[in-house]
């Protein structure tokens, strides 16, 4: 999957303003960004649901504009809008989707049962979807995008609003279709989700790529692991800074000194004994790996998620 200089304008505003993407077949790309960054716009263009205003894109080897029908035959999309039919039961919804994907009646029925089980809907399988809770509808909708393994699967914020158990189910299904060779483009506001699933992360901010790389590459931009020492008495901060050496950062308000370390456990031992030798009793000594949250904040200047995460 490939995008070059994609642009899309709504009225006077550029939702995408020169968006580039290269996703090798069979890998997962996590498209990360805050609300309004342009994630859904990018997905809808790549899935041929929206026309582009500039640039070009190829999905499953076909141009999204000139060969849209060929693209459509090879992709599946789970968007933020539900495809659930209210008057059908959960099982009937899945069987219907299976039939649309050309499974035989028997195959569609077997696949529906598997998915109902995986997404925790077996007990509700024969209830009409209109009686489902919001979370159940979301799960049924997601289950429908896993009926077959398409060449390319677009998942637009697949786990927003799901509880941790159901997020885990979705992650497992994503890993399964990837193992079957599907290429996945997944948008998310959750950094841990991208960390779990993505081979490559693209950080989108106001229609442009702000950063990209593997989760580890993005984290290591921050300079790797750090050691943090917290003391009880501000008077001890200079001694601690001296022990941690060049590059130590002192936070006077938090009574904390931190520094980058290359050798984790050895550094911990070295710092602990050096502090003891100088008579400093630390309140806390910890090693910390930078998180994707740290990376995101450093890259975009704001936090990824503003709301409370499920
Ligand atoms: N159909 C539309 N009409 C007008 N503006 C839109 C439309 N769709 C998206 N936008 C605008 O484009 C920008 C990107 O939106 P979107 O792609 O939905 O972001 P995200 O999915 O990252 O939250 C936002 O400023 C949004 O308001
Ligand atoms: Mg969106």
């Amino acid at each position: 999957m490939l995008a070059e200089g994609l642009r899309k304008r709504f009225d006077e505003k550029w939702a995408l303003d020169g968006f580039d993407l290269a996703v090798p077949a069979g890998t997962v790309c996590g498209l990360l960004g805050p609300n309004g960054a342009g994630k859904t716009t990018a997905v809808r263009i790549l899935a041929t649901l929206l026309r582009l205003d500039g640039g070009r894109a190829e999905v499953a080897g076909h141009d999204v504009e000139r060969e849209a029908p060929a693209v459509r035959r090879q992709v599946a999309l789970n968007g933020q809008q539900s495809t659930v039919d209210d008057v059908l039961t959960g099982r009937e919804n899945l069987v219907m989707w299976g039939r649309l994907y050309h499974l035989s009646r028997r195959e569609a029925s077997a696949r529906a049962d598997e998915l109902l089980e995986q997404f925790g809907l077996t007990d509700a399988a024969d209830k009409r979807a209109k009686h489902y809770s919001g979370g159940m509808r979301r799960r049924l909708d997601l289950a429908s995008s896993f009926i077959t393994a398409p060449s390319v699967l677009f998942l637009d914020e697949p786990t927003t609003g799901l509880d941790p158990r159901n997020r885990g189910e979705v992650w497992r299904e994503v890993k399964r279709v990837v193992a079957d060779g599907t290429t996945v483009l997944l948008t998310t506001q959750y950094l841990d989700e991208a960390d779990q699933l993505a081979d490559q992360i693209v950080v989108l901010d106001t229609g442009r790529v702000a950063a990209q790389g593997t989760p580890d590459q993005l984290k290591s931009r921050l300079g790797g692991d750090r050691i943090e020492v917290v003391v009880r008495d501000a008077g001890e901060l200079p001694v601690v800074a001296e022990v941690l050496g060049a590059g130590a950062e002192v936070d006077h308000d938090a009574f904390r000194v931190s520094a980058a370390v290359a050798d984790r456990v050895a550094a911990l031992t070295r710092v602990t004994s050096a502090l003891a030798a100088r008579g400093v009793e630390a309140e806390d000594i910890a090693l910390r790996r930078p998180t994707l949250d740290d990376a995101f904040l450093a890259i975009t200047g704001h936090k990824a998620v503003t709301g409370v995460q499920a």
Side-chain angles (χ1 to χ4, degrees):
M1 180 166 17
L2 181 80
E4 284 176 352
L6 274 196
R7 307 189 82 205
K8 178 69 191 179
R9 188 172 64 188
F10 293 110
D11 306 318
E12 293 306 298
K13 192 172 181 292
W14 290 96
L16 288 180
D17 191 9
F19 172 68
D20 299 312
L21 187 75
V23 186
T27 67
V28 182
C29 176
L31 190 55
L32 206 62
N35 259 326
K39 302 183 298 295
T40 296
T41 303
V43 163
R44 289 177 62 83
I45 288 174
L46 292 167
T48 76
L49 297 174
L50 198 63
R51 298 294 301 272
L52 48 81
D53 293 323
R56 60 182 284 274
E58 254 178 38
V59 173
H62 299 284
D63 187 282
V64 295
E65 286 215 294
R66 286 182 289 108
E67 302 168 291
V71 171
R72 267 177 226 139
R73 275 194 291 277
Q74 300 203 51
V75 305
L77 166 76
N78 187 267
Q80 288 170 295
Q81 284 151 347
S82 171
T83 54
V84 170
D85 188 333
D86 268 337
V87 304
L88 300 181
T89 67
R91 178 179 280 114
E92 286 166 349
N93 263 285
L94 292 175
V95 170
M96 177 191 77
W97 279 100
R99 299 291 284 159
L100 286 173
Y101 282 114
H102 308 295
L103 298 185
S104 71
R105 201 173 296 278
R106 183 196 296 258
E107 287 165 340
S109 169
R111 187 70 187 122
D113 284 341
E114 268 172 34
L115 288 165
L116 288 164
E117 176 72 36
Q118 272 159 18
F119 283 89
L121 293 168
T122 302
D123 292 343
D126 298 314
K127 263 199 230 171
R128 286 176 200 265
K130 70 176 165 204
H131 300 303
Y132 279 21
S133 69
M136 290 162 76
R137 290 179 67 89
R138 187 86 197 96
R139 273 138 58 197
L140 180 60
D141 194 35
L142 272 165
S144 73
S145 32
F146 289 108
I147 282 175
T148 62
S151 309
V152 178
L153 176 61
F154 297 102
L155 296 170
D156 194 5
E157 298 200 23
T159 64
T160 297
L162 289 185
D163 65 28
R165 189 183 89 84
N166 289 309
R167 293 180 76 201
E169 291 296 333
V170 174
W171 291 355
R172 225 184 51 212
E173 281 300 303
V174 171
K175 287 174 181 163
R176 196 183 57 76
V177 296
V178 172
D180 287 348
T182 297
T183 308
V184 176
L185 179 64
L186 164 127
T187 80
T188 183
Q189 298 186 48
Y190 300 143
L191 299 160
D192 59 335
E193 182 157 293
D195 211 357
Q196 274 280 326
L197 294 175
D199 299 299
Q200 175 199 183
I201 289 175
V202 172
V203 179
L204 191 60
D205 200 24
T206 55
R208 287 167 174 273
V209 174
Q212 70 186 98
T214 64
D216 283 342
Q217 282 168 346
L218 291 182
K219 289 178 209 168
S220 69
R221 281 188 167 205
L222 299 184
D225 298 323
R226 298 187 74 79
I227 189 164
E228 291 181 347
V229 179
V230 179
V231 292
R232 294 194 184 90
D233 177 357
E236 294 175 322
L237 290 172
V239 184
V240 178
E242 192 194 314
V243 165
L244 293 192
E249 285 174 23
V250 181
D251 181 337
H252 291 275
D253 297 330
F255 289 16
R256 183 175 57 216
V257 186
S258 67
V261 292
D263 51 358
R264 289 179 63 78
V265 177
L268 191 58
T269 314
R270 192 172 61 240
V271 167
T272 308
S273 52
L275 289 177
R278 286 169 172 76
V280 175
E281 203 188 323
E283 170 94 24
D284 190 30
I285 304 181
L287 286 168
R288 199 164 80 82
R289 289 186 190 275
T291 64
L292 262 184
D293 287 277
D294 296 330
F296 193 86
L297 185 62
I299 291 160
T300 67
H302 51 78
K303 288 202 183 288
V305 184
T306 44
V308 177
Q309 190 171 331

